[in-house]
Amino acid sequence: MVYITKIKSDTDKVQYLNFFSTIEKLWNLPAEEFNEWRRNNDLPILYRKLKRELPKFQEWLDNYQLTYEEHFLKAPHTGDLFAGIGEYEFVEYSIEDVKKHIITKSFENDKHISFRKKFDEIKIISKRTFIPYLHWAKRNIGQDLSEKLQYNQWEGDESRRPSSAILFHSFKVRKLGQIKLSNIPICGRNLDFTDLDHLEFSGNFRFSGETNINFSSCRGWNIQSSGIGVTIRYCDLGQFKCSNSSIWFNFYKCRIWEPSFIDTDITGMSFDKCELLYPSFKRCDIVPYNFHYIPAPKEFRFFGEKENYRIFRHAFQSIGQMSEAKKYFYLEKKYERKDTFVGIVGHDIYSNILKKLIDIKKNLFEKKFVLLLKHIWEKIIGHHVYAKTILICKYIISLFDNLLWGYGEKPFRIIRSSMVIILFYAALYYFFGPVETIGSKINAVYFSIVTFTTLGYGDIQPVTNLTKILCGSEAFIGACLIGLLIAGYSNRLKY
């Protein structure tokens, strides 16, 4: 066991006699001793800082009868007290007289607990039901405080001297990075609210699927020839590198820029509401049904999302995953259209449109809808008419392309469009002729189908100028759509 002087004040927290050797000794501690060291040293400092910086933090603790000694210090992962939606259970239980703690949605239905019950007798000592702080604050204060717990400043040069990750513009979290790890078990360690920047993983290294990292700085990770599985929430990951490894990563509400994956088996990866910029995949084997991407709900980032979808498309295309490549090609074109629309109206107007459209959904038939359309048109046709006209045309074409056949990736939409056109022309024939179709629904639909498919039996013929124009236009549209239908299904093989 490593004995390090207990930190008694905030000013003592960065005093290291031997910086890197201290970090290495901490990593070499067994998981329980590692967590005990944090409970005795930096977690008390973190607790005091959170009480000062987070609005109504003490009120939240009191509301659910959560205490500093029994809950904050004993949480297996400190971040689990803050992240999550809905009610959670903080349970203290015992297995063979050994006390343990868990934070879970339901103790009785927890997979890990259910598995252990098959072999050991589990006794519940105490249970607290609570709502994680961020969700509670959003409901009771009306603020999304997740960005307040994200890192906003870094100090130091990782190549020359110790660097620091900073919360709340002044608080340096516990430094555990800037070293190389090999053959060190990570499972069971509380790595939340720590500075894990520039860690290097190599050799026979294994994370566990149960490993969570929350509210930590993980910039500059370098993973080589390793097997890693971990859930990372509310963390910063910049210039993340992974090569010759097998990985399973779940990212939630993280800021990730320029991650690079080379010669890597990606058995599972999800980016859930993450800000992702310029990922790179080279010679990676990706399991498609375990790969998910949900963009962060940020406004006006359509160009960035378009680029992400393009990169995903190329990644799946390179390994022959045709259906996934098609899926991301469609999403790429969808966000390209949205980006074009923002370019037409401008960011400010687009933001106002979104807000007003929300009001329109509440009452679609109010006069405000007409006024909104007039306002949008006046704003669009104001300055730079030529440039905006080009963008408008591009947007209309893209929108039509999407509605008609999903940019070639959803040819079934052509059948739907064809049915609408056939019924539309059938209604015209029902009222305007030829003579055989007037007043006859069966004949009107029959004649419309024959004309649309350019079959032309000749049993019913247009005579008037109007019916000739109608028949000619429907035949032209039918020929085009049938050609697109064939092209759409052929398009499935283009990858």
Side-chain angles (χ1 to χ4, degrees):
M1 180 180 292
V2 176
Y3 296 94
I4 302 175
T5 303
K6 184 176 179 179
I7 297 175
K8 298 180 180 179
S9 67
D10 291 13
T11 59
D12 295 331
K13 67 181 182 294
V14 293
Q15 295 179 0
Y16 301 102
L17 295 177
N18 190 325
F19 184 81
F20 291 111
S21 66
T22 300
I23 294 176
E24 187 174 358
K25 289 175 182 178
L26 284 175
W27 278 108
N28 285 322
L29 288 173
E32 284 300 323
E33 294 180 15
F34 176 91
N35 293 338
E36 183 64 24
W37 188 92
R38 289 204 67 195
R39 283 193 286 268
N40 291 332
N41 290 271
D42 67 294
L43 287 184
I45 301 170
L46 174 65
Y47 177 79
R48 292 197 294 270
K49 189 65 176 177
L50 291 173
K51 283 190 65 176
R52 288 196 298 266
E53 297 291 342
L54 296 180
K56 298 187 178 181
F57 182 72
Q58 187 61 50
E59 179 181 332
W60 167 73
L61 291 173
D62 296 338
N63 189 53
Y64 298 107
Q65 298 181 338
L66 300 175
T67 65
Y68 165 70
E69 293 83 5
E70 295 298 321
H71 300 97
F72 185 85
L73 291 182
K74 293 182 179 181
H77 298 281
T78 308
D80 288 344
L81 294 169
F82 296 84
I85 297 176
E87 290 189 342
Y88 281 75
E89 295 177 351
F90 190 115
V91 181
E92 182 179 7
Y93 63 100
S94 65
I95 300 178
E96 297 179 352
D97 296 326
V98 178
K99 291 184 179 180
K100 296 180 178 292
H101 302 83
I102 187 173
I103 296 176
T104 179
K105 291 288 281 186
S106 172
F107 184 79
E108 296 298 329
N109 299 323
D110 187 85
K111 293 181 179 179
H112 174 71
I113 298 299
S114 299
F115 178 77
R116 291 298 301 267
K117 283 182 177 179
K118 296 179 181 178
F119 307 98
D120 302 300
E121 183 181 358
I122 297 178
K123 297 181 180 179
I124 297 178
I125 300 173
S126 65
K127 182 191 292 186
R128 283 280 190 276
T129 300
F130 72 100
I131 294 176
Y133 174 77
L134 290 180
H135 187 207
W136 178 87
K138 193 169 185 177
R139 289 172 52 178
N140 292 273
I141 306 176
Q143 298 180 31
D144 183 0
L145 298 176
S146 58
E147 290 190 4
K148 197 173 181 65
L149 290 174
Q150 288 186 323
Y151 295 84
N152 44 45
Q153 187 177 348
W154 290 267
E155 290 182 355
D157 183 351
E158 66 278 4
S159 63
R160 299 193 181 112
R161 60 189 177 89
S163 61
S164 301
I166 299 174
L167 275 177
F168 309 120
H169 301 282
S170 61
F171 181 71
K172 296 181 180 180
V173 297
R174 168 59 53 196
K175 181 69 179 179
L176 293 173
Q178 285 187 271
I179 65 168
K180 182 180 290 186
L181 298 179
S182 181
N183 304 316
I184 298 178
I186 299 299
C187 180
R189 296 177 188 266
N190 181 4
L191 299 174
D192 296 354
F193 293 99
T194 59
D195 178 357
L196 303 174
D197 290 346
H198 311 294
L199 278 179
E200 294 185 23
F201 308 99
S202 63
N204 187 22
F205 181 86
R206 289 293 183 271
F207 271 94
S208 163
E210 301 173 0
T211 301
N212 294 335
I213 300 177
N214 306 296
F215 303 102
S216 293
S217 181
C218 307
R219 300 178 308 143
W221 276 19
N222 191 357
I223 303 170
Q224 295 182 358
S225 304
S226 298
I228 296 180
V230 63
T231 296
I232 302 179
R233 301 184 296 175
Y234 295 97
C235 293
D236 286 88
L237 297 97
Q239 298 179 333
F240 178 100
K241 296 180 181 179
C242 181
S243 60
N244 301 301
S245 299
S246 177
I247 62 173
W248 181 299
F249 273 108
N250 294 318
F251 300 102
Y252 178 76
K253 288 194 174 181
C254 294
R255 296 185 295 192
I256 310 169
W257 63 95
E258 298 181 6
S260 174
F261 305 91
I262 303 174
D263 297 317
T264 297
D265 292 332
I266 302 176
T267 55
M269 181 170 289
S270 65
F271 301 95
D272 188 358
K273 299 179 182 179
C274 293
E275 296 181 39
L276 179 64
L277 292 176
Y278 307 115
S280 173
F281 301 87
K282 295 181 180 179
R283 303 181 300 277
C284 292
D285 190 10
I286 308 173
V287 178
Y289 54 82
N290 283 334
F291 187 93
H292 307 283
Y293 175 57
I294 301 175
K298 298 287 185 180
E299 296 179 351
F300 319 136
R301 294 191 66 249
F302 300 134
F303 177 79
E305 304 308 341
K306 180 193 72 172
E307 289 299 305
N308 288 341
Y309 287 125
R310 180 184 63 80
I311 292 168
F312 296 152
R313 172 171 64 88
H314 283 303
F316 282 106
Q317 183 179 344
S318 66
I319 58 175
Q321 295 288 351
M322 312 305 179
S323 60
E324 292 299 307
K326 286 171 46 184
K327 168 186 171 182
Y328 288 110
F329 173 76
Y330 170 76
L331 291 170
E332 174 192 349
K333 301 301 292 183
K334 175 182 176 180
Y335 276 84
E336 181 181 11
R337 183 183 76 249
K338 290 185 176 182
D339 184 56
T340 301
F341 183 72
V342 174
I344 294 172
V345 302
H347 286 183
D348 294 337
I349 297 177
Y350 181 76
S351 179
N352 291 332
I353 291 174
L354 288 181
K355 293 177 182 178
K356 292 181 180 179
L357 284 177
I358 294 174
D359 295 334
I360 290 171
K361 287 182 180 180
K362 298 177 181 178
N363 193 343
L364 183 62
F365 300 101
E366 286 186 356
K367 293 182 179 180
K368 292 180 180 179
F369 182 64
V370 177
L371 296 176
L372 173 63
L373 293 178
K374 182 179 179 181
H375 172 74
I376 294 173
W377 182 253
E378 289 176 350
K379 290 293 183 180
I380 292 176
I381 308 301
H383 306 285
H384 311 293
V385 176
Y386 176 77
K388 287 192 175 182
T389 302
I390 298 298
L391 285 175
I392 290 171
C393 293
K394 182 179 178 181
Y395 175 77
I396 292 174
I397 292 172
S398 178
L399 179 62
F400 178 75
D401 197 9
N402 175 50
L403 295 175
L404 183 61
W405 66 334
Y407 307 109
E409 299 304 323
K410 298 182 182 296
F412 184 77
R413 289 185 181 181
I414 299 175
I415 298 177
R416 182 182 63 188
S417 302
S418 299
M419 295 300 297
V420 172
I421 291 172
I422 287 172
L423 293 176
F424 172 74
Y425 275 93
L428 294 177
Y429 298 143
Y430 180 84
F431 292 105
F432 301 109
V435 176
E436 295 87 347
T437 64
I438 296 178
S440 174
K441 296 178 182 179
I442 297 297
N443 284 347
V445 173
Y446 162 75
F447 182 64
S448 181
I449 294 173
V450 169
T451 304
F452 182 87
T453 57
T454 66
L455 189 60
Y457 281 122
D459 52 341
I460 301 177
Q461 296 180 359
V463 178
T464 65
N465 291 334
L466 176 61
T467 54
K468 289 178 181 180
I469 292 174
L470 291 175
C471 290
S473 61
E474 185 181 15
F476 177 77
I477 294 173
C480 292
L481 290 182
I482 291 172
L484 286 176
L485 182 64
I486 296 171
Y489 280 99
S490 300
N491 194 51
R492 290 175 175 266
L493 302 178
K494 77 176 182 178
Y495 296 111

